[in-house]
Amino acid sequence: MTNNLGAGTAVTVVMPTYNEAANLPRMAEAVLQLPLDGLHLKIVDDSSPDGTGRIADELAEKYNTTGRRRMSVLHRTEKDGLGRAYAAGMSLALDEGAEYVVQMDADGSHPVEAVPRMLGTALANGVGLVIGSRYVEGGSLDEDWGAHRVLLSRFANRYARTVLGTRIRDITAGFNLWSAQALRDIDLATLDSAGYSFQVELKYKAVRAGHSAVEIPIRFEERTEGVSKMTLKTQLESAVVPIRLRMKNR
C-alpha cells in the first residue's frame, strides 16, 4: 500500500534494541507496513544477550527479499547508553542518504501510525524537528503509568524547560522526526550525553542551530513485554545535563 505523502522521500526509522526479542518482530512488521514508499528500518542492537540481534538479522533477510533493502541491522559490541546507540544509527542513516530520520523505541510505547503524520507535518511546515508529544493538547500517557512516574516525567520536562529556557513542552520525548539538515547542523559526533538526556541535548542544540520544532500529540503506551532500561545513573545524568548545556551556552 502506498500514498502520495512524501513520495520518494527517504525516511529511516532508527530503533535501538537491548533485550527486545519479544517486541521486535511485531514492531518491525508495524513499521514496514506504513504507507511510505521511501521508508527504511534500521535496528541498532547492543549485543543483546536474549538474541535480539539474531532475530533482527532474520527479519531483515525476510523483509529484503523484494529486491529493495527495507531493513538493516547495526550490531554494536558494547552497551554504552541509549544516546550513543541513537547517534550511531542516525549517523549511518545520514551517510546512506536519509532525508528524514525518526527516533522510535522498540518496546511499543510510541505509536507507529503517527509517523506519516509527523512526516507530513515536517514537509508542510518546513521544520527540522517534529516531536511526538505527550504534553501538548491531545497528548496522553497510558493509564498504567503510576502516579510517581507521571510526576517524575512532568517534573523532568518542566525542570529542563526552565533551565534551558525553551518552549518545547516535551523536551524529554523519545519519539522524534528530524530533517537530515538539522542533524548535520547539530553534529552528532559532538554530543556529550550517553543516556536518556540525549533527547534533551539534541533538541536544545537543534533549536540553537536555528531549527524550528513542532509538537504533535501522541498517546504514550506502557510496554507490554520486557523491562524498562531507566536506571538511577540515567536519571542523575538527566538532572545534570540541562545545567551543563546552559553553562556552556551562556
Side-chain angles (χ1 to χ4, degrees):
M1 177 181 177
T2 61
N3 63 18
N4 293 324
L5 174 62
T9 303
V11 180
T12 296
V13 174
V14 175
M15 186 178 290
T17 56
Y18 186 78
N19 287 350
E20 296 289 357
N23 289 311
L24 185 57
R26 66 183 178 85
M27 288 300 298
E29 181 179 13
V31 169
L32 293 173
Q33 284 183 345
L34 287 172
L36 297 172
D37 293 340
L39 188 72
H40 181 87
L41 174 61
K42 183 174 296 296
I43 303 301
V44 183
D45 187 68
D46 284 359
S47 297
S48 298
D50 73 343
T52 300
R54 174 184 53 78
I55 292 171
D57 285 334
E58 292 171 354
L59 289 168
E61 185 176 354
K62 169 186 172 182
Y63 287 113
N64 292 339
T65 55
T66 60
R68 180 173 151 237
R69 190 168 173 263
R70 304 184 67 210
M71 181 176 174
S72 57
V73 186
L74 172 61
H75 294 278
R76 302 197 326 139
T77 57
E78 61 179 330
K79 186 176 184 295
D80 59 353
L82 180 68
R84 302 268 192 262
Y86 262 128
M90 295 163 91
S91 296
L92 186 55
L94 293 180
D95 290 342
E96 294 171 348
E99 297 171 78
Y100 289 92
V101 177
V102 178
Q103 293 176 261
M104 181 183 293
D105 289 348
D107 60 10
S109 58
H110 299 148
V112 175
E113 67 276 8
V115 172
R117 184 159 50 103
M118 296 170 81
L119 177 60
T121 299
L123 293 172
N125 294 277
V127 296
L129 167 61
V130 178
I131 301 166
S133 179
R134 301 162 289 184
Y135 300 126
V136 292
E137 184 176 355
S140 63
L141 288 164
D142 193 302
E143 290 81 1
D144 287 340
W145 265 43
H148 69 289
R149 288 181 66 193
V150 173
L151 289 173
L152 178 62
S153 176
R154 289 188 178 278
F155 172 78
N157 270 284
R158 185 181 294 274
Y159 168 77
R161 288 203 316 267
T162 301
V163 171
L164 298 175
T166 178
R167 294 183 177 181
I168 297 175
R169 294 192 59 81
D170 199 351
I171 195 168
T172 66
F175 187 32
N176 310 292
L177 179 142
W178 301 87
S179 71
Q181 190 58 57
L183 292 178
R184 292 192 182 99
D185 289 344
I186 293 166
D187 189 358
L188 293 165
T190 66
L191 295 173
D192 295 325
S193 308
Y196 287 83
S197 55
F198 166 85
Q199 312 289 7
V200 174
E201 183 179 2
L202 204 57
K203 295 180 186 69
Y204 179 66
K205 288 188 173 180
V207 172
R208 282 189 60 85
H211 292 278
S212 298
V214 173
E215 294 182 79
I216 66 169
I218 65 160
R219 175 176 171 78
F220 186 92
E221 300 287 350
E222 179 63 282
R223 68 159 58 232
T224 56
E225 302 285 349
V227 296
S228 172
K229 312 302 189 300
M230 179 70 76
T231 64
L232 177 60
K233 179 180 177 181
T234 60
Q235 292 179 32
L236 291 173
E237 182 190 49
S238 297
V240 171
V241 164
I243 296 174
R244 186 190 304 153
L245 288 171
R246 192 60 185 263
M247 295 293 289
K248 277 186 177 181
N249 295 281
R250 279 176 145 183

